[in-house]
Amino acid sequence: MFNSEIETMSESKMKELQLERLKWSIRHAYDNVPHYRKTFDDAGFNPDQFKTLDDMRRVPFLTKQDMRDAYPYGLFAVPLSKVVRVHASSGTTGNATVVGYTKNDVEVFSEVVARSLACYGVTENDIVQNAYGYGLFTGGLGAHYGAEKIGAITVPISGGNTPRQIMIMKDFGSTVLCSTPSYALNIADYIESNMPDFDMSSLKLKIAVMGAEPWTEEMRQQIEKRLNVDAFDIYGLSEVIGPGVSAECTEKSGLHVFEDHFYVEIIDPDTGEILPEGSEGEIVYTSLTKEAFPTIRYRSKDITRLYHDSCRCGRTLVKMDKVTGRTDDMLIIRGVNVFPSQIESVLMQEEGTEPHYQIIVDRKGTMDEIEVMVEVNEKVFSDEIKVLDSLAKSLAHRVKSTLGITAKIKLVEPKSIPRSEGKAVRVIDNRKK
Amino acid sequence: MNVTQISAFVENKPGHIAGVLKVLADNNINIITLTVADTADFGVLRMILDKPELAKAKLSENSITCSVTDVLAIEIDDTPGALLKALEAFSNLELNIEYMYAFTQKIHDNAVMIFRFEDIEKAKKALVEKGCRIIRNIDIIGEDK
Ligand SMILES: [Zn+2]
């Protein structure tokens, strides 16, 4: 455990710490960021009225749109001279979101990533191959600083160039791989299809630190089997800090939230009401220590639940379920709610199919139509058309029986679905909004 | 005496078959015969090539999904009704044909058809007993290069 005092703190003591830090953070945001001052004032809320954790319900939310509107520095709470680093989200829809860090914020960021790595069993004896992209994206530098903080050898290879990744992995004796789950599978694909004589036991890899995109249990099993590793989830959002908001422990059931730095709540996404512990809903974050970019009640749109479960790892930190869906990603197909991750689970139940898929939603007349593109690899390919046809039919049947929607399965060539070292685009919704 | 067929998965989109052919051309692989089976969305390109192992390796390297299948090349008299007679004979022997296609060259003045049987070993045994002329791989692609 990287910080056992915090990570095993009693629930009541943690609440005291959070209350004290919340008072500071809410006041800090109000005093230094015009946006917060305005929304708090408009809601008739004054930071002086914040006395107990129950008062959280009175604090206005912060949305992604608020962040975009503040582009680039509008939500910074310290003079720019105190900011030592910025990151930015890719901004696939609308403006990018720019986040800033003071020296102290960078220190907190490094600490929570180091704690995450320690959760998976990474120590100073490890060699961490960091295949997250270095750049504006928080993953690269975040994992880098965390790995250095723990004292491991940090290999800053960044994303891409798969043959070189494999060579370095072998030559340097990397024991830990940090990347997106889809990139880890890319590496496995590459080895399996282009290096038939490659001896997996020549790799020392034992831990895969997977984050930056939602992934499923089925994907974990594939990564673990094909790369011969234990794969763990690292979760985070650049708006909150980056990776390291929460991390799985070796139990691989739920992620411990580093709640001494991030206060979490679950709300009903429709009404905004706080839901009791254990309920599923949208997770909302409040930073407790961040100086440059405080986030007060940020609506993440990620769907999960929070719970305490005397975890066998000894940590008392609240746990959240692995995030496999976002309110944003949720598709409503002919009135049925569908998450892309559910389709992924269905696809991966079929022997040999891989999690390289893309969902295309269209509207023909008044009917929503959904097409799932699935890449055909050599494990499922046949020279006989009827075998391929029956694969497509069987997948369509599974989608229908599991999700209750009719989908057309379209078999496509390998690598025809764009993948990135960042995030895979899973859904293309062509319906008029 | 089996003939090696390489099959490749191609989407029904302009330029996709060309992509496969380019890999073969770039590696100096000669196509002896080729056929496409297609559906609305995709097709399977079936090919007899002079260097099947090299082709498999190079296609995979270029992220083209492909497979190696054994098929039989059988001489059929180049006369009306000969193919029908052959098919009737297969049917009497209870040999299921998955698909078949014609070979471009004649061998011993006879037409040659490629057959993909459900059970190639069973087919081979029955056809040899019946005195069918099965063409060896080597007659088609020449000595190993
Ligand atoms: Zn635990």
Side-chain angles (χ1 to χ4, degrees), chain A residues 159-378:
Chain A
N161 198 343
T162 310
R164 185 152 163 268
Q165 296 276 357
I166 298 163
M167 186 192 82
I168 294 280
M169 205 176 275
K170 183 164 177 266
D171 294 352
F172 289 18
S174 305
T175 55
V176 179
L177 170 70
C178 298
S179 76
T180 59
S182 53
Y183 191 64
L185 285 172
N186 250 12
I187 294 177
D189 278 357
Y190 190 91
I191 295 175
E192 287 159 19
S193 53
N194 299 315
M195 305 169 79
D197 302 324
F198 187 78
D199 176 13
M200 282 303 284
S201 68
S202 68
L203 296 182
K204 297 207 169 67
L205 212 56
K206 53 181 186 167
I207 293 171
V209 180
M210 308 279 92
E213 60 188 19
W215 54 308
T216 55
E217 227 21 77
E218 286 82 3
M219 234 167 136
R220 184 199 320 260
Q221 282 162 21
Q222 284 230 10
I223 293 166
E224 295 194 333
K225 195 169 87 197
R226 293 166 67 189
L227 287 176
N228 194 19
V229 290
D230 277 305
F232 297 101
D233 200 359
I234 185 162
Y235 170 86
L237 312 82
S238 61
E239 296 86 350
V240 178
I241 199 158
V245 170
S246 64
E248 276 181 336
C249 58
T250 46
E251 298 299 311
K252 292 182 191 165
S253 84
L255 296 90
H256 291 284
V257 181
F258 298 118
E259 53 179 333
D260 55 323
H261 292 294
F262 318 107
Y263 184 79
V264 282
E265 305 165 272
I266 295 288
I267 62 161
D268 177 326
D270 295 325
T271 65
E273 290 299 312
I274 300 173
L275 299 176
E277 185 164 312
S279 324
E280 192 174 80
E282 178 179 347
I283 188 163
V284 171
Y285 294 95
T286 301
S287 66
L288 298 180
T289 53
K290 267 172 71 192
E291 297 171 343
F293 193 87
T295 34
I296 310 294
R297 295 200 96 197
Y298 174 61
R299 292 194 58 163
S300 67
K301 299 197 171 177
D302 281 343
I303 303 287
T304 183
R305 66 190 184 99
L306 294 170
Y307 56 97
H308 285 88
D309 71 344
S310 350
C311 190
R312 284 214 302 246
C313 74
R315 288 177 185 82
T316 50
L317 299 170
V318 69
K319 280 171 112 172
M320 61 188 270
D321 277 342
K322 200 163 169 10
V323 172
T324 51
R326 288 172 55 80
T327 55
D328 264 3
D329 293 343
M330 194 179 77
L331 292 165
I332 302 174
I333 311 288
R334 284 169 235 152
V336 181
N337 293 354
V338 179
F339 284 107
S341 57
Q342 292 176 295
I343 292 184
E344 179 179 314
S345 292
V346 168
L347 296 182
M348 294 194 58
Q349 285 160 16
E350 185 84 30
E351 188 66 34
T353 54
E354 285 180 53
H356 299 312
Y357 67 94
Q358 193 170 49
I359 300 162
I360 295 169
V361 191
D362 230 317
R363 183 166 288 153
K364 298 264 162 69
T366 56
M367 281 294 274
D368 295 332
E369 296 203 336
I370 178 165
E371 185 171 74
V372 183
M373 309 219 292
V374 181
E375 290 186 1
V376 173
N377 62 17
E378 296 191 352

